[in-house]
């Protein structure tokens, strides 16, 4: 399943070249993942309250085309890997003309309150985290 | 040659978990590269004024340990590849205890005013951009 | 006329206390003003291209209630003063329960390419910039 | 007593006009206040751990001159008011030529864990919070 969140580029996200600044794309990707987690019914705040924490371990991001003021961006999220204590999302940012601005793979890990890698507790697991089986 | 720039984590760079937010590390890395370019005598503003532009094409970043308020970070930059129209820096962010917070490879490309990949003009080239020969 | 723009609080806008960070409200206010200018047909990009620039000279902002993740905020803008080379907007940020999070007065000035205060050129003036006459 | 913290403008803090973006000055001011609190021995983290919280209630900021890449800024902080549950700092941001970029008054309030205005606990009070008596 690919989930798509939408946003519009804001003036304060531009750099001196009138492009969205590199670091802001990581914010956009995080926004997309948070919307994805809400959409699949993942209780992120409950997880935190239970003493667990999901953190990002690795981001591989390719910048293809720059986004500009008022561009309408689609932030796509698709789970492509799921392990015991970690997983990976593939994310694509497209503009209103369908061009790819950014493509990224974002890996996460689950840790417990002491910071040790930990299995995501069963009661927080939701099916949407699982990559689709492509037969 | 590895160049090292220093900074101290500021309060507004923290997220809800009191860690430096993921996207802020890209800012730190950019800060490190800008300081590196100044140190090797690269005339970035002159390049822009001549109608050229260096943009980031790819970032591969691994988050190892989280940085916290008032941590003193070292941002290292080392050129590891240099092509005709592009190159790659290896960057490491360490805290005051020598622990690696973040490790990244950042690739850049040069484009002319029309946005086409272009050789970096000779008069802007400086030796510091070249990876060291390790024999 | 009061114009209202809407946005939803994003995870990366929170600080260590799970509140929207102070500085981010200035971003929200800027977003609201940009949407207002589009709504009244003000050609901001044309103005810049003609060598003029609107800059913010003064912000007086009162923080009343803190906004949190996923809050749906309304950013209101109302012109309350208009002079020859400057003006003031009154702005209010409300959450989905109608509570005021932030109230602000934001003053702007027009400068020409040399940075000198300048009358906003007639061809860029639009009626929406004028405060409503309250008789 | 006026305390001065120093910083250098970074590339990612610039907006499309090569000026430091308005909202970033609030970050600079926060940086200056945090450095001030450390300098006077105020235990901010201890206060938070005890269930209290200092929040900003009001900022009045005047933008005088714009800061640019690599400008060396001094962020001054001076307490000018102190009440039972609140206080005010006067802050000035100057560039390396001594010009004032920004001048601001920043008011804070103390709240307890329930969010109610509260006296700053005696054991956290330090003399440096008190405005100097100017006779």
């Amino acid at each position: 399943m690919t989930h798509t969140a939408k946003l519009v580029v804001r003036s304060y996200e531009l750099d001196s070249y009138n492009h969205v600044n590199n670091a802001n794309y990581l914010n956009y990707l995080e926004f997309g993942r948070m919307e994805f987690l809400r959409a699949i019914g993942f209780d992120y705040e409950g997880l935190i309250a239970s003493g667990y924490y999901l953190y990002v371990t690795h981001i591989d991001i390719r910048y293809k085309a720059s986004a500009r003021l008022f561009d309408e961006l689609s932030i796509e999220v698709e789970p492509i890997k799921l392990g015991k204590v970690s997983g990976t999302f593939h994310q694509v940012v497209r503009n209103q003309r369908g061009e790819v601005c950014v493509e990224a793979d974002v890996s996460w890990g689950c840790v417990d309150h002491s910071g040790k890698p930990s299995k995501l507790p069963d009661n927080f697991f939701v099916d949407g985290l699982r990559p689709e089986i492509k037969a």
Side-chain angles (χ1 to χ4, degrees), chain A:
Chain A
M1 196 207 67
T2 299
H3 177 268
T4 302
K6 305 247 177 199
L7 58 78
V8 175
V9 173
R10 299 178 187 164
S11 51
Y12 59 81
E13 296 166 340
L14 305 178
D15 63 16
S16 329
Y17 308 105
N18 273 306
H19 304 147
V20 170
N21 171 279
N22 294 325
N24 277 324
Y25 285 102
L26 293 209
N27 288 338
Y28 291 173
L29 296 177
E30 179 177 309
F31 164 73
R33 293 193 306 276
M34 294 299 280
E35 292 296 308
F36 168 77
L37 291 176
R38 289 169 91 184
I40 63 172
F42 185 84
D43 181 13
Y44 192 65
E45 293 178 36
L47 183 80
I48 304 295
S50 301
Y52 293 87
Y53 178 59
L54 295 187
Y55 72 108
V56 168
T57 54
H58 185 178
I59 299 178
D60 184 298
I61 180 167
R62 285 83 68 195
Y63 298 95
K64 309 276 192 176
S66 53
R68 291 164 168 275
L69 187 58
F70 301 138
D71 274 358
E72 294 159 29
L73 304 182
S74 302
I75 321 292
E76 301 172 5
V77 187
E78 189 197 347
I80 56 169
K81 265 195 223 166
L82 184 67
K84 277 227 162 64
V85 300
S86 64
T88 301
F89 295 116
H90 182 64
Q91 297 202 255
V92 180
V93 177
R94 265 177 236 278
N95 65 21
Q96 65 275 24
R97 292 174 299 282
E99 294 160 346
V100 173
C101 294
V102 150
E103 205 159 353
D105 294 292
V106 180
S107 299
W108 55 270
C110 182
V111 290
D112 63 20
H113 67 282
S114 72
K116 272 206 316 201
S118 160
K119 190 168 163 300
L120 184 68
D122 285 342
N123 52 322
F124 286 103
F125 186 82
V126 293
D127 266 349
L129 288 174
R130 229 188 286 276
E132 263 189 2
I133 297 135
K134 286 161 185 173

